[in-house]
């Protein structure tokens, strides 16, 4: 009790100093805000503007630059003060969560208190709180009492950990305090994990486990692969890794040099608050589909959810084989061979037209293209673009005499006429000759009118749009075309037939999107992004080897962190792909496996791990709960039973409840049946934000998120077959506290894999 009082006294003293520092910062922030406002309002009054001669213009430029620099400096100060103030306000309520007493070799022990940010006492000239990302803080996560070490900028520091203590502090009051061993104590984890689910991912800095800390602080690997069971905290650890890297390299790394490829827009919303809670700016977030959509032209692009929806609702063996082949690196090699063939022949171009008249034919462009003595497609394209621009200039001059130009000249606005007049006056001022103003003005206006219309053609040439990439890609699948290689798969004809049919409809299947862009960039030149330093890919098991190789080429200087769970590989292109094959793409790679699941209760984990190979290796955190319930109901009574169960779950205090169907089609049907009975929200692939309450959604949109309770809508044998073990596992592992499975017919044969004592059967 005395120790508790001493620790509480320290909390009181620290929070008092935090409040005092915050009060000072509030005044400074207000002062700087006023200065910024004043500079903005009086910007031009404080600038000397004079362009009469070169000297005065230079002075004006210097005056503007000085004023702009002053404004930028004040804005930076305001931003810095604001961020500091946000951190201090968070520290007022929970100043820290841990303490270690660490004695360096030959030195007395020092008490180190860890929080979400540092707090330095200028009077005592010491840190009262250390940031959880500071080098010495790793001792808290990695060691029990005894010999310990941490890596500092000056080298490895060895010493002895004499005490490791954890706190639960709310509103500056200690609610829990306990000493612990190697891992973060079960008491704190129980306290955090036992809470209701939230529409935002939890910040886990107070409960980071040793294996998660290895992920967070890894700095050496070019490729870091995290294979983690459902609920093992791999995504949370990755976000803490972002925060750690921004702290560790705060002088040279910015948040906009890091990007997260997430599974869907809904997931972006789910994780969006983690970094701001730690006082960091959010990294860039996107989906791979969004990237593809910005690059694909000439087709209607299928998204991965439409592809998956189709595959879940059909038994199309041909499409499945097409998807799998186009996911492989062998298909990338085939496109490389095709690009080499295009160096010699078979490029396709489009006519360049103006007002219905062909200025340059595709045949003329092709003839010039293959006459260019350059050995790369992009170089030839650039040289051809320059030639097209020269030819367009000739046509532009001829076009000025056409009758349509005279008609458009009469419609010119006043600004254009004034611009033409000023241009004419300028030319006369610096010319030794005199001109007929009217004739010169007419010629100038004709040039302006024609140039305005030709501008689109110049852009067309500059962006290399004269190459018919859709036709070039489609040609690869033409009957008997791919004779330039003898490395075709046995089912090549099936691949050609299916692909040709879709491309003729101007549809680009999802499995073709990355190969199409890859070929496009082989022709036009690769648009590498060298500014990105770190790439994070979540749900990496859903990516194809082709896509990974493409991303590596797209971000050549970036380190890559990929997070996935092979037991949740539900996409056709990834079902047979191992994350570990990725290591062949990088020189320095490391794999960390997380086998302990924290999301669900022990009962839910012991039930769900039976549906996947190697499930016995998944460890359950010791958090007790009710057995999963399996219940058979008549089809016409299913909506009523689900509504009743939702009401009971809400009565038990569960706030976020998910009704998960296999497909979007089934989700929409059940939503329409449930809507008159209970308030709920339908989540679709377009949904971009989480909201608390009851949600109904398809299986593949539930990946990566968690709910207090999950209701599996219908686990009948004709819905989840023996081949759907990974999908069923994915659905069931979304539940934190309760799992309820309904079936309208014979139950899925997957249940035969589950021991009777691991669930409650209600016939």
């Amino acid at each position: 009790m005395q120790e508790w009082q001493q620790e509480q006294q320290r909390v009181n003293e620290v929070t008092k100093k935090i409040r005092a520092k915050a009060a000072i910062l509030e005044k400074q922030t207000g002062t700087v805000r006023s200065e910024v406002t004043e500079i903005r309002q009086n910007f031009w009054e404080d600038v000397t503007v004079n362009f009469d001669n070169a000297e005065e213009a230079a002075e004006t430029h210097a005056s503007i630059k000085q004023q702009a620099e002053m404004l930028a400096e004040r804005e930076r100060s305001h931003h810095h003060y604001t961020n500091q103030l946000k951190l201090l306000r968070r520290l007022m309520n929970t100043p820290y969560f841990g303490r270690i007493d660490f004695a360096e070799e030959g030195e007395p022990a020092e008490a180190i208190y860890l929080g979400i940010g540092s707090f330095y006492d200028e009077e005592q000239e010491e840190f009262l709180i250390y940031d959880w990302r500071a080098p010495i803080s790793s001792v808290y996560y990695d060691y029990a009492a005894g010999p310990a070490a941490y890596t500092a900028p000056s080298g490895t520091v060895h010493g002895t950990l004499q005490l490791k203590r954890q706190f639960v502090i709310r509103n500056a009051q200690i609610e829990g305090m306990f000493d612990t061993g190697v891992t973060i104590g079960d008491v704190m984890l129980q306290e955090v994990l036992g809470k209701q689910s939230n529409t935002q991912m939890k910040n886990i800095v107070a409960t980071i486990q040793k294996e998660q800390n290895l992920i967070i602080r890894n700095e050496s690997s070019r490729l870091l692969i995290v294979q983690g069971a459902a609920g093992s905290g791999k995504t949370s650890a990755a976000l803490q890794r972002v925060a750690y890297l921004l702290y560790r390299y705060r002088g040279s790394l910015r948040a906009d040099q890091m990007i997260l490829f997430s599974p869907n827009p809904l997931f972006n919303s789910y994780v969006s608050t983690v970094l701001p809670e730690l006082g960091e700016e959010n990294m860039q977030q996107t989906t791979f589909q969004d990237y593809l959509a910005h690059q694909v032209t000439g087709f209607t692009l299928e998204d991965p959810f439409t592809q998956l929806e189709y595959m879940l609702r059909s038994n199309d063996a041909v499409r499945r084989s097409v998807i799998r082949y186009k996911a492989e690196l062998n298909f990338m090699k085939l496109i490389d061979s095709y690009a080499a063939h295009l160096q010699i022949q078979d490029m396709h171009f489009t006519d360049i037209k103006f007002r219905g008249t062909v200025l340059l034919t595709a045949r003329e462009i092709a003839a010039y293209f293959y006459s260019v003595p350059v050995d790369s497609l992009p170089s030839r394209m650039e040289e051809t673009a320059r030639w097209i621009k020269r030819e367009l200039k000739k046509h532009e001059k001829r076009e000025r005499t056409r009758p349509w130009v005279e008609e458009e000249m009469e419609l010119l606005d006043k600004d254009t006429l004034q611009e033409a007049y000023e241009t004419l006056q300028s030319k006369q001022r610096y010319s030794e000759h005199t001109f007929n103003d009217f004739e010169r003005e007419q010629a100038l206006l004709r040039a302006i009118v024609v140039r305005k219309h030709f501008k689109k053609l110049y852009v067309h040439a500059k962006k290399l749009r004269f190459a018919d990439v859709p036709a070039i890609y489609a040609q690869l699948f033409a009957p008997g075309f791919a004779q330039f290689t003898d490395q075709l798969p046995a089912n090549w004809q099936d691949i050609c037939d299916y692909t040709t049919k879709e491309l003729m409809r101007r549809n680009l299947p999802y499995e073709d999107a990355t190969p199409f862009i890859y070929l496009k960039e082989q022709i036009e030149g690769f648009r590498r992004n060298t500014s990105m330093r770190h790439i994070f890919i979540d749900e990496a098991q859903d990516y194809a080897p082709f896509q990974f190789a493409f991303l590596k080429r797209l971000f050549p200087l970036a380190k890559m962190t990929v997070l996935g769970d092979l037991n949740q590989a539900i996409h056709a292109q990834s079902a047979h792909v191992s994350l570990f094959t990725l290591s062949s793409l990088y020189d320095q790679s490391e794999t960390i496996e997380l086998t302990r699941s924290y999301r669900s209760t022990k009962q839910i984990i012991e039930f769900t791990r039976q549906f996947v190979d190697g499930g016995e290796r998944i460890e359950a955190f010791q958090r007790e709960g009710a057995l999963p319930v399996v219940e058979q109901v008549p089809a016409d009574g299913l909506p009523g039973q689900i509504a009743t169960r939702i009401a009971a779950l809400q009565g038990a205090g569960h706030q976020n409840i998910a009704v998960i169907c296999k497909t979007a089609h089934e989700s929409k049907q059940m939503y329409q049946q449930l809507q008159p009975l209970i308030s709920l929200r339908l989540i679709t692939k377009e949904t971009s934000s989480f909201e608390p309450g009851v949600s109904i959604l398809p299986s593949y949109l539930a990946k990566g998120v968690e709910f207090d309770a999950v209701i599996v809508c219908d686990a009948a044998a004709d819905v989840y077959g023996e081949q759907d073990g990974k999908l069923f596992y994915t659905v069931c592992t979304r539940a934190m506290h309760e799992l309820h499975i309904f079936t309208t017919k014979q139950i899925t044969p997957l249940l035969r894999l589950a021991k009777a004592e691991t669930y409650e059967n209600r016939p």
Side-chain angles (χ1 to χ4, degrees):
M1 180 61 81
Q2 185 178 358
E3 275 193 286
W4 189 299
Q5 290 173 347
Q6 289 173 345
E7 292 286 11
Q8 182 60 58
Q9 184 178 350
R10 187 183 191 277
V11 170
N12 296 341
E13 291 170 356
V14 171
T15 52
K16 182 180 178 181
K17 291 187 176 186
I18 291 171
R19 283 194 294 270
K21 180 67 179 292
I24 295 171
L25 264 179
E26 281 180 354
K27 289 181 181 179
Q28 291 176 326
T29 304
T31 300
V32 174
R33 188 189 306 115
S34 298
E35 290 175 355
V36 168
T37 303
E38 185 178 351
I39 293 172
R40 285 175 176 169
Q41 289 175 343
N42 303 319
F43 189 95
W44 292 108
E45 293 179 13
D46 297 334
V47 171
T48 303
V49 180
N50 193 335
F51 293 102
D52 286 346
N53 56 53
E55 185 177 340
E56 295 291 348
E59 185 177 334
T60 296
H61 179 267
S63 180
I64 292 173
K65 183 180 179 183
Q66 182 181 15
Q67 194 75 351
E69 287 174 349
M70 185 189 303
L71 176 60
E73 188 277 327
R74 293 287 80 193
E75 287 177 335
R76 283 194 297 271
S77 295
H78 182 263
H79 182 69
H80 176 67
Y81 289 156
T82 301
N83 285 342
Q84 275 193 312
L85 198 53
K86 286 178 181 177
L87 173 61
L88 291 177
R89 285 169 178 163
R90 284 194 289 269
L91 293 178
M92 284 180 200
N93 293 322
T94 306
Y96 39 82
F97 55 79
R99 167 186 169 180
I100 54 173
D101 289 4
F102 182 75
E104 289 188 29
E105 290 179 344
E107 299 289 337
E110 180 184 359
I112 307 292
Y113 288 82
L114 283 63
I116 63 169
S118 298
F119 181 68
Y120 184 75
D121 184 358
E122 294 174 357
E123 292 180 4
Q124 298 182 24
E125 296 184 341
E126 65 174 343
F127 280 100
L128 299 181
I129 306 170
Y130 282 80
D131 192 293
W132 66 276
R133 297 166 289 186
I136 194 171
S137 301
S138 64
V139 174
Y140 173 77
Y141 299 113
D142 290 342
Y143 292 96
Y150 67 92
T151 302
S154 58
T156 302
V157 178
H158 295 274
T160 303
L161 177 60
Q162 297 180 357
L163 173 74
K164 182 156 84 171
R165 178 170 290 168
Q166 296 172 73
F167 303 95
V168 177
I169 303 175
R170 293 194 183 92
N171 299 318
Q173 295 296 312
I174 299 177
E175 296 184 0
M177 185 182 88
F178 36 91
D179 297 345
T180 187
V182 178
T183 58
I184 306 305
D186 284 358
V187 178
M188 182 173 279
L189 272 172
Q190 288 282 11
E191 196 272 339
V192 172
L193 300 172
K195 292 179 180 178
Q196 302 296 324
S197 73
N198 199 292
T199 56
Q200 303 294 337
M201 179 169 282
K202 293 182 178 72
N203 173 6
I204 64 165
V205 291
T207 58
I208 292 169
Q209 303 298 288
K210 184 176 182 179
E211 65 273 16
Q212 294 169 330
N213 199 39
L214 288 173
I215 298 166
I216 292 166
R217 295 175 187 260
N218 183 293
E219 298 179 43
S220 59
S221 301
R222 179 79 195 282
L223 169 68
L224 178 61
I225 300 172
V226 181
Q227 158 62 37
S232 58
K234 52 187 178 293
T235 302
S236 295
L239 293 171
Q240 317 299 315
R241 171 168 168 74
V242 174
Y244 170 76
L245 291 169
L246 289 171
Y247 174 87
R248 172 73 174 81
Y249 299 100
R250 54 192 177 278
S252 59
L253 180 65
R254 304 187 310 273
D256 63 4
Q257 292 176 306
M258 311 171 89
I259 187 168
L260 168 66
F261 284 93
S262 56
N264 53 60
L266 189 68
F267 185 84
N268 287 343
S269 167
Y270 182 59
V271 303
S272 63
T273 62
V274 173
L275 288 171
E277 280 182 6
L278 296 170
E280 301 290 355
E281 292 183 17
N282 258 325
M283 66 198 315
Q284 295 189 54
Q285 291 176 244
T286 187
T287 64
F288 191 58
Q289 173 66 13
D290 283 343
Y291 171 78
L292 296 176
H294 280 98
Q295 302 299 320
V296 169
T297 55
F299 292 110
T300 299
L301 174 62
E302 180 187 48
D303 62 68
F305 308 116
T306 302
Q307 182 203 67
L308 184 56
E309 182 81 10
Y310 174 80
M311 297 309 299
L312 290 176
R313 295 177 63 188
S314 72
N315 294 313
D316 191 336
V318 171
R319 175 83 190 271
R320 188 173 297 276
S321 69
V322 170
I323 291 171
R324 289 192 171 183
Y325 175 68
K326 290 178 180 176
E328 296 172 359
L329 293 179
N330 282 338
F331 188 46
M332 179 176 269
K333 293 176 182 176
L334 176 63
I335 291 179
D336 290 338
S337 299
Y338 182 37
H341 172 80
L342 294 173
Q343 291 269 32
I344 304 167
Q345 61 187 42
D346 288 324
M347 280 285 288
H348 286 255
F349 299 97
T350 59
D351 294 339
I352 295 179
K353 300 178 181 179
F354 181 71
R355 295 179 64 85
T357 301
V358 176
L359 303 183
L360 291 169
T361 66
R363 181 173 294 181
E364 288 174 314
I365 296 172
Y368 185 85
F369 177 86
Y370 282 113
S371 73
V372 175
V374 182
D375 61 356
S376 79
L377 290 173
S379 297
R380 277 181 165 172
M381 288 291 291
E382 291 292 342
E383 177 54 40
T384 303
R386 287 190 283 270
W387 172 76
I388 290 173
K389 185 177 180 180
R390 293 194 296 269
E391 293 299 308
L392 286 176
K393 283 184 177 179
K394 297 175 187 176
H395 286 285
E396 182 186 345
K397 288 181 180 179
R398 296 189 195 109
E399 203 67 27
R400 294 173 187 171
T401 61
R402 308 292 187 201
W404 69 269
V405 180
E406 193 84 31
E407 296 170 7
E408 289 219 3
M409 285 169 59
E410 297 176 2
L411 302 175
L412 290 175
D413 56 63
K414 291 181 180 180
D415 290 341
T416 305
L417 291 170
Q418 181 64 27
E419 180 187 346
Y421 175 75
E422 291 174 357
T423 302
L424 183 62
Q425 290 294 103
S426 176
K427 287 185 177 182
Q428 286 186 332
R429 184 183 307 164
Y430 297 107
S431 173
E432 297 178 359
H433 304 283
T434 57
F435 297 98
N436 181 307
D437 283 354
F438 178 76
E439 290 180 1
R440 286 290 294 168
E441 184 178 319
Q442 292 297 299
L444 186 58
L445 290 175
R446 285 178 178 277
I448 289 173
V449 167
V450 176
R451 171 53 66 99
K452 180 181 176 182
H453 285 275
F454 264 66
K455 187 176 181 180
K456 293 179 181 177
L457 298 182
Y458 288 119
V459 171
H460 183 86
K462 183 179 180 180
K463 294 189 175 181
L464 311 180
R465 292 175 182 164
F466 52 89
D468 192 347
V469 181
I472 296 169
Y473 186 71
Q475 178 179 247
L476 177 60
F477 306 97
F481 179 77
Q483 298 306 314
F484 56 83
T485 179
D486 57 359
Q487 298 178 345
L488 297 176
N491 63 335
W492 178 246
Q493 191 56 52
D494 288 338
I495 293 170
C496 290
D497 292 344
Y498 176 81
T499 308
T500 300
K501 181 182 67 175
E502 290 301 311
L503 297 182
M504 287 181 66
R505 296 173 179 169
R506 309 306 291 176
N507 294 331
L508 189 67
Y510 180 67
E511 63 268 22
D512 284 284
T514 308
F516 173 80
I517 295 171
Y518 181 67
L519 175 62
K520 184 172 183 281
E521 299 209 338
Q522 289 270 43
I523 294 168
E524 298 177 357
F526 277 86
R527 297 169 176 83
R528 293 178 174 86
N529 186 326
T530 56
S531 66
M532 284 296 161
R533 301 272 299 281
H534 286 273
I535 309 300
F536 292 78
I537 300 177
D538 208 348
E539 302 296 344
Q541 74 280 350
D542 295 338
Y543 284 70
F546 195 127
Q547 292 171 330
F548 277 119
F550 179 79
L551 283 170
K552 185 195 173 190
R553 191 159 183 168
L554 181 63
F555 302 105
L557 303 183
K559 291 184 176 181
M560 187 173 285
T561 302
V562 300
L563 321 157
D565 179 9
L566 297 177
N567 290 325
Q568 298 182 64
I570 61 176
H571 284 259
Q573 77 264 17
S574 59
H576 68 310
V577 175
S578 169
L579 286 178
F580 305 117
T581 60
L582 276 176
S583 58
S584 63
L585 297 174
Y586 290 86
D587 295 332
Q588 297 170 303
S589 65
E590 185 174 347
T591 299
I592 296 176
E593 193 166 3
L594 303 178
T595 57
R596 199 175 201 202
S597 181
Y598 299 95
R599 173 186 297 138
S600 308
T601 61
K602 176 184 176 183
Q603 286 73 16
I604 292 174
I605 292 170
E606 289 181 344
F607 172 71
T608 56
R609 68 185 180 184
Q610 299 172 100
F611 303 118
V612 290
D613 293 336
E616 68 280 356
R617 297 179 62 239
I618 300 173
E619 305 170 46
F621 178 71
Q622 297 300 311
R623 182 163 63 85
E624 299 292 333
L627 287 172
V629 175
V630 177
E631 187 171 350
Q632 187 165 1
V633 298
D636 57 358
L638 181 59
Q641 288 286 350
I642 290 176
T644 299
R645 188 59 48 84
I646 289 172
L649 290 168
Q650 289 174 324
H654 299 305
Q655 298 174 357
N656 292 311
I657 301 168
V659 179
I660 303 181
C661 303
K662 185 177 183 182
T663 66
H665 178 73
E666 292 166 15
S667 298
K668 186 175 181 180
Q669 285 186 326
M670 183 53 64
Y671 172 72
Q672 292 170 343
Q673 293 175 305
L674 286 173
Q675 207 176 8
L677 305 175
I678 197 163
S679 175
L680 77 167
R681 181 188 188 208
L682 176 64
I683 292 179
T684 68
K685 63 184 180 182
E686 286 83 20
T687 303
S688 60
S689 64
F690 256 113
E691 293 180 9
V694 182
S695 303
I696 184 165
L697 66 164
S699 55
Y700 46 85
L701 290 183
K703 295 181 71 172
V705 297
E706 62 189 24
F707 302 90
D708 293 332
V710 165
I711 296 173
V712 180
C713 184
D714 190 355
D718 58 352
V719 178
Y720 291 97
E722 292 182 355
Q723 75 282 2
D724 293 320
K726 291 182 177 180
L727 184 63
F728 192 62
Y729 169 81
T730 301
V731 168
C732 294
T733 53
R734 302 306 97 198
M736 288 179 62
H737 305 295
E738 293 200 43
L739 174 62
H740 296 264
I741 301 169
F742 286 104
T743 178
T744 57
K745 304 172 189 172
Q746 182 181 357
I747 191 70
T748 170
L750 292 169
L751 209 63
R752 291 198 295 265
L753 301 171
K755 296 177 181 178
E757 63 269 21
T758 60
Y759 66 97
E760 179 185 344
N761 191 8
R762 296 180 186 173

